[in-house]
Amino acid sequence: MSVKERKERERAARERLIVAAARELAEQQGWDAVTTRRLAERIEYSQPVLYSHFRGKREIIGAVALEGAAELASAVRAATAAVNGPRERVAALARAYLDFAERNPAVYDAIFQLDGGLAYAQEDTPEQLKDAFAALMENLAEVAGDGIEPGLFTEVFWASLHGIATLTRTKRLLPEYAEARVELLVDRLAML
Amino acid sequence: MSVKERKERERAARERLIVAAARELAEQQGWDAVTTRRLAERIEYSQPVLYSHFRGKREIIGAVALEGAAELASAVRAATAAVNGPRERVAALARAYLDFAERNPAVYDAIFQLDGGLAYAQEDTPEQLKDAFAALMENLAEVAGDGIEPGLFTEVFWASLHGIATLTRTKRLLPEYAEARVELLVDRLAML
DNA sequence: CAGCGATTCTAGCATTGCTAGACAACCGAG
DNA sequence: CTCGGTTGTCTAGCAATGCTAGAATCGCTG
């Protein structure tokens, strides 16, 4: 049954190709430009092929979101691993998070803004999303403060970062305050 | 020239009708359901009429956003006016803000999520948007803390509220923490 | 190498935002 | 009161969108 296995490998490879193409196109020209036709053209297949891998455009966004969530998690862990001291660790986390959002706006949107048909904060939430939240909580639990549940604190800190990330990207905040916002947020929210 | 005036009044009335219909439809069925055809049908005119008032769908969203921003500003002012004590005033502001976002999700999206073709944090930013920010700053300046510019503090507090509002609405945060999040945010960010 | 099953494509549907050009209504002059 | 012209509105249509049915083609198996 080697033939079947080969076909499955090829199929998986093509699926990765679709996700990669969608992501690249979205980062280059925004999600609006990610149409089924353009996507099909990029992978050099016809549109119906997309629907043999994904239920629709929404699921493709979801696939990009999962890939991105895994990257966000490791970006956060990588940025905090080598840092000594809780305060600097939290600041590094905040900068890594905002940096990821700025460098991968389309992927960030796929994870947090667009509808990728994924469940959040529930049992059936995909591993990658749970793990991204876990990566935040690992570094934030130690500064949550007495009597504050780490999960609650992480939600608030995360929401603040998310607000800054999205409002910054849509040019609703003053660029010159960027660094000061992070400092203020970390100094006030984290209990040291 | 009474005829001209009458026509202008009628025109203005129809414009309000369009904005109201767009808003109502968006709140009922989401912005995706706000198509030019459905909107035209609701106001009992044909689609091209919409384009004699607005450059396109984007501008209609923008009009809803401006109307909403004015309401948000007065909602915040109304909620804080009668409250004594800085801490309770800030808490009231936070609740009023989140309440507005929850009660008018489509309008909130028009203001802060969708592209209504409006400028933000600039000179040519519409009055309504500047005033909404001002309404926040009026109540937040007193708790910014020493050496922290009110504008900076307001941006951070606002971003945090925005993050909570959007993540809550897309079911990415735990509902049971809703009240605790506000308490934590106010207690930590505000300097009392 | 022939036939059959899986795969991929062509072609098309309904819906979207937006626009051109035909048509009608209405105001003001004679 | 009628006619001309401006102003306003509608019908019809464009290209692009997500998605799908059915034809065509490819490649494995006997």
Side-chain angles (χ1 to χ4, degrees):
Chain A
M1 282 294 131
S2 172
V3 171
K4 202 165 197 171
E5 286 174 17
R6 196 202 70 217
K7 290 213 170 184
E8 274 182 26
R9 268 203 313 278
E10 287 173 357
R11 217 185 131 71
R14 195 172 59 181
E15 189 156 317
R16 282 194 300 275
L17 184 64
I18 293 172
V19 175
R23 175 175 179 167
E24 191 184 322
L25 191 51
E27 290 294 3
Q28 285 173 354
Q29 308 181 37
W31 277 107
D32 280 352
V34 183
T35 68
T36 55
R37 276 170 242 276
R38 257 192 284 264
L39 197 48
E41 198 186 1
R42 285 231 178 176
I43 63 168
E44 295 179 310
Y45 281 92
S46 64
Q47 301 135 9
V49 167
L50 300 174
Y51 293 85
S52 72
H53 288 271
F54 302 95
R55 217 179 272 275
K57 191 183 172 182
R58 176 189 296 190
E59 269 195 10
I60 297 177
I61 295 173
V64 173
L66 292 184
E67 190 180 290
E71 285 177 32
L72 175 58
S74 49
V76 165
R77 291 201 173 98
T80 54
V83 178
N84 284 324
R87 203 259 172 213
E88 288 314 311
R89 219 172 1 255
V90 173
L93 175 146
R95 290 200 185 87
Y97 185 99
L98 295 175
D99 192 56
F100 181 90
E102 192 180 333
R103 295 238 280 253
N104 310 278
V107 174
Y108 190 86
D109 278 351
I111 307 175
F112 296 120
Q113 302 268 145
L114 301 175
D115 179 13
L118 304 173
Y120 288 78
Q122 285 165 27
E123 292 86 28
D124 56 341
T125 296
E127 265 324 303
Q128 291 95 321
L129 297 175
K130 285 184 185 171
D131 189 55
F133 189 82
L136 296 178
M137 190 149 68
E138 287 162 20
N139 292 286
L140 292 171
E142 59 181 344
V143 297
D146 292 341
I148 300 296
E149 288 186 50
L152 168 62
F153 182 78
T154 303
E155 280 196 350
V156 171
F157 199 95
W158 168 39
S160 301
L161 288 176
H162 177 67
I164 292 175
T166 55
L167 292 176
T168 298
R169 206 153 65 54
T170 51
K171 303 192 194 309
R172 282 162 163 95
L173 298 180
L174 294 171
E176 58 264 35
Y177 281 159
E179 180 56 26
R181 283 191 291 265
V182 175
E183 293 290 327
L184 182 60
L185 190 71
V186 172
D187 284 339
R188 295 281 169 92
L189 281 188
M191 291 294 274
L192 297 166
Chain B
M1 280 295 128
S2 172
V3 171
K4 201 166 200 170
E5 284 174 17
R6 195 202 69 216
K7 290 215 169 186
E8 273 181 27
R9 268 202 313 278
E10 287 173 357
R11 215 186 133 70
R14 195 171 58 179
E15 189 155 316
R16 282 194 300 275
L17 184 65
I18 293 173
V19 175
R23 176 176 179 165
E24 191 183 322
L25 191 51
E27 291 293 4
Q28 284 174 354
Q29 310 182 35
W31 278 107
D32 280 352
V34 183
T35 68
T36 55
R37 276 173 241 280
R38 258 192 284 264
L39 198 47
E41 198 186 1
R42 285 231 178 177
I43 62 168
E44 295 179 310
Y45 282 92
S46 63
Q47 301 135 7
V49 167
L50 300 174
Y51 293 87
S52 73
H53 288 272
F54 301 97
R55 218 178 271 277
K57 192 183 170 180
R58 175 188 299 189
E59 268 195 12
I60 297 177
I61 295 173
V64 173
L66 291 184
E67 190 179 291
E71 284 178 31
L72 175 57
S74 48
V76 165
R77 289 201 174 99
T80 54
V83 178
N84 284 323
R87 203 259 173 214
E88 288 314 311
R89 225 181 343 264
V90 173
L93 175 146
R95 290 201 185 87
Y97 185 99
L98 295 175
D99 192 55
F100 181 89
E102 193 180 333
R103 296 239 278 253
N104 311 279
V107 174
Y108 190 86
D109 278 352
I111 308 176
F112 295 122
Q113 302 268 144
L114 302 175
D115 179 13
L118 304 173
Y120 288 79
Q122 286 164 28
E123 292 86 29
D124 56 340
T125 296
E127 264 326 301
Q128 291 94 322
L129 296 175
K130 284 185 185 171
D131 188 54
F133 190 82
L136 296 178
M137 191 147 72
E138 287 162 19
N139 292 286
L140 292 171
E142 60 182 343
V143 297
D146 292 341
I148 300 295
E149 289 186 50
L152 167 62
F153 181 78
T154 303
E155 280 197 351
V156 171
F157 199 95
W158 168 39
S160 301
L161 288 176
H162 176 67
I164 291 175
T166 55
L167 292 177
T168 298
R169 208 153 61 57
T170 51
K171 302 191 196 306
R172 283 161 162 94
L173 298 179
L174 294 172
E176 58 264 37
Y177 281 158
E179 180 55 27
R181 283 192 291 265
V182 175
E183 293 290 327
L184 182 59
L185 191 70
V186 172
D187 285 338
R188 294 281 169 91
L189 281 188
M191 292 292 273
L192 296 167

